[in-house]
Amino acid sequence: MSADSSTPDRTDATAPGPQPEPLRFFGTTWVAHDNGYAARRAGAAAGSLLAAVAGCFVLRFAYEGMAIADVGTFVNVLMVVMFAICSAIAFRRTWDGFTRRHDPASQSSMRGLMAIGFIGSLLAYFLRSLTEAPGEKLHREEYETARDQYAKRTSRRTGNPSRRKRKG
């Protein structure tokens, strides 16, 4: 086991077969909902909500800075609309990421937009934390599929075929 008791070391795994993939902030507690899973979920929800509120304050200070600089109404409206659209896109993309994996190419191309719309991502994380660990459903489906495939592969063989007695 590693230093965090909820995240097993893959080299020390005693059970044969596929091992659950750890989730950020949750380790592998999502598998059996043990080792403080509920507290971690509450902490993740509270933390993401607090981070979203702090982000809103940062954006408010940026907006006030633009108002002090007297850049004009058009630029102020453009900034608000840009952050609203980027946050909405980031929310949807983050929400979809909890149920299916995005391809790495589209993920890297959307990195800038996701950074601008960070409030949307934080709100998606908050809302998902209210019902489950973010990404738990996707990881559970993949883990159960891998376990089923492993069980099918191992149940086909009943032993070493070279040890079978041949009819003479």
Side-chain angles (χ1 to χ4, degrees), residues 57-68:
F57 278 119
V58 168
L59 290 180
R60 169 108 173 128
F61 293 141
Y63 183 81
E64 287 177 359
M66 289 179 58
I68 291 171

Side-chain angles (χ1 to χ4, degrees), residues 117-138:
F118 69 98
I119 292 176
S121 291
L122 289 169
L123 291 176
Y125 203 86
F126 166 72
L127 291 174
R128 183 56 74 144
S129 294
L130 295 177
T131 58
E132 67 175 8
E136 178 181 345
K137 180 179 180 182
L138 173 67

Side-chain angles (χ1 to χ4, degrees), residues 11-164:
T11 57
D12 292 344
T14 56
Q19 298 298 317
E21 186 178 342
L23 289 174
R24 180 181 296 153
F25 306 125
F26 294 92
T28 56
T29 61
W30 61 269
V31 176
H33 294 182
D34 59 353
N35 292 337
Y37 171 81
R40 289 177 191 221
R41 245 184 59 204
S48 60
L49 185 61
L50 287 174
V53 169
C56 288
F57 278 119
V58 168
L59 290 180
R60 169 108 173 128
F61 293 141
Y63 183 81
E64 287 177 359
M66 289 179 58
I68 291 171
D70 197 26
V71 293
T73 306
F74 177 72
V75 175
N76 285 338
V77 169
L78 194 63
M79 185 184 104
V80 170
V81 169
M82 177 201 58
F83 273 105
I85 290 172
C86 288
S87 290
I89 292 170
F91 178 91
R92 182 63 183 177
R93 189 152 176 85
T94 303
W95 191 263
D96 287 344
F98 295 141
T99 56
R100 64 180 174 87
R101 294 201 186 267
H102 296 295
D103 62 323
S106 73
Q107 202 167 359
S108 66
S109 69
M110 298 289 282
R111 189 168 290 140
L113 187 133
M114 296 291 284
I116 293 170
F118 69 98
I119 292 176
S121 291
L122 289 169
L123 291 176
Y125 203 86
F126 166 72
L127 291 174
R128 183 56 74 144
S129 294
L130 295 177
T131 58
E132 67 175 8
E136 178 181 345
K137 180 179 180 182
L138 173 67
H139 284 75
R140 188 170 301 284
E141 288 172 358
E142 291 174 349
Y143 177 57
E144 288 175 357
T145 301
R147 273 192 351 212
D148 292 344
Q149 290 173 349
Y150 177 78
K152 285 180 184 177
R153 280 193 313 266
T154 57
S155 66
R156 286 185 195 149
R157 291 185 56 186
T158 57
N160 189 346
S162 66
R163 291 186 181 175
R164 289 187 188 155

